[in-house]
Amino acid sequence: MKPMTEREIRAAFVNCSKGEAKRLSVPRDLADRPWDDLDYLGWRDPQAPDRAYLVTVLDGRPTALALRCPGPASWQARRSMCSMCLTAHTGGVSLMVAPKAGKARQQGNSVGAYICSDLACSLYVRGKKDAGAGSRPQESLTLEQKIERTVANVAAFLAKVTA
């Protein structure tokens, strides 16, 4: 993923108003992010622990989602698997819900997915971050194929939000 600026990120949101996008917390350390290892940029809002954000490039354009999720204190203690990167965590996967874009958002419709609570799927897939023993299933796929699968899963989630 190519590095993005705060302005690009704020302009990329598809499921919140421009005013909401202007007010949300964007990470201050954008220059320090491991952009070459990211399939998407994800972060939790430090001022609102029940909010998270995901930004990726879809069809050549930055696309961003605002997500609702349980706060850190309510993460489950049982083992769950992320639907994006297929990493299993004990207490490290949250149901993240995105309001749908457009008219469906106005009607209160939303889409949810189980995602790594720290939104670090790209780093788990590449082995740059470890979720512990047994967190990654044994697979015959290459690293490139695992990355492609993660990218496809993220794109499918975005497609559900924007449909």
Side-chain angles (χ1 to χ4, degrees):
M1 187 172 181
K2 76 171 188 71
M4 297 177 77
T5 65
E6 181 177 337
R7 175 180 273 176
E8 289 173 309
I9 291 169
R10 289 187 191 283
F13 280 90
V14 296
N15 68 338
C16 66
S17 70
K18 288 181 182 180
E20 290 169 322
K22 185 178 178 182
R23 291 186 300 272
L24 62 84
S25 296
V26 174
R28 301 267 181 240
D29 64 345
L30 289 175
D32 300 328
R33 296 288 171 136
W35 292 100
D36 291 338
D37 292 323
L38 296 180
D39 304 310
Y40 69 85
L41 172 65
W43 73 97
R44 291 182 78 112
D45 190 331
Q47 281 84 34
D50 65 334
R51 293 183 188 192
Y53 308 99
L54 184 151
V55 185
T56 192
V57 176
L58 192 62
D59 298 327
R61 290 186 10 235
T63 305
L65 296 178
L67 305 164
R68 291 274 183 185
C69 49
S74 62
W75 292 348
Q76 297 291 327
R78 69 175 192 261
R79 194 165 194 79
S80 302
M81 183 176 283
C82 173
S83 62
M84 300 297 158
C85 66
L86 304 185
T87 300
H89 300 267
T90 300
V93 174
S94 297
L95 175 62
M96 300 208 182
V97 179
K100 290 193 82 166
K103 269 193 175 186
R105 177 178 180 257
Q106 294 168 351
Q107 296 169 346
N109 295 331
S110 60
V111 177
Y114 287 95
I115 304 175
C116 293
S117 298
D118 60 2
L119 296 137
C121 296
S122 303
L123 302 179
Y124 291 117
V125 168
R126 289 166 174 78
K128 308 261 177 172
K129 198 166 184 180
D130 185 20
S135 61
R136 300 283 311 156
Q138 273 303 94
E139 297 182 287
S140 60
L141 298 177
T142 66
L143 176 59
E144 266 316 302
Q145 290 169 322
K146 292 176 188 176
I147 292 169
E148 287 173 14
R149 178 181 59 203
T150 301
V151 169
N153 289 340
V154 171
F157 181 61
L158 273 111
K160 289 177 187 174
V161 173
T162 57

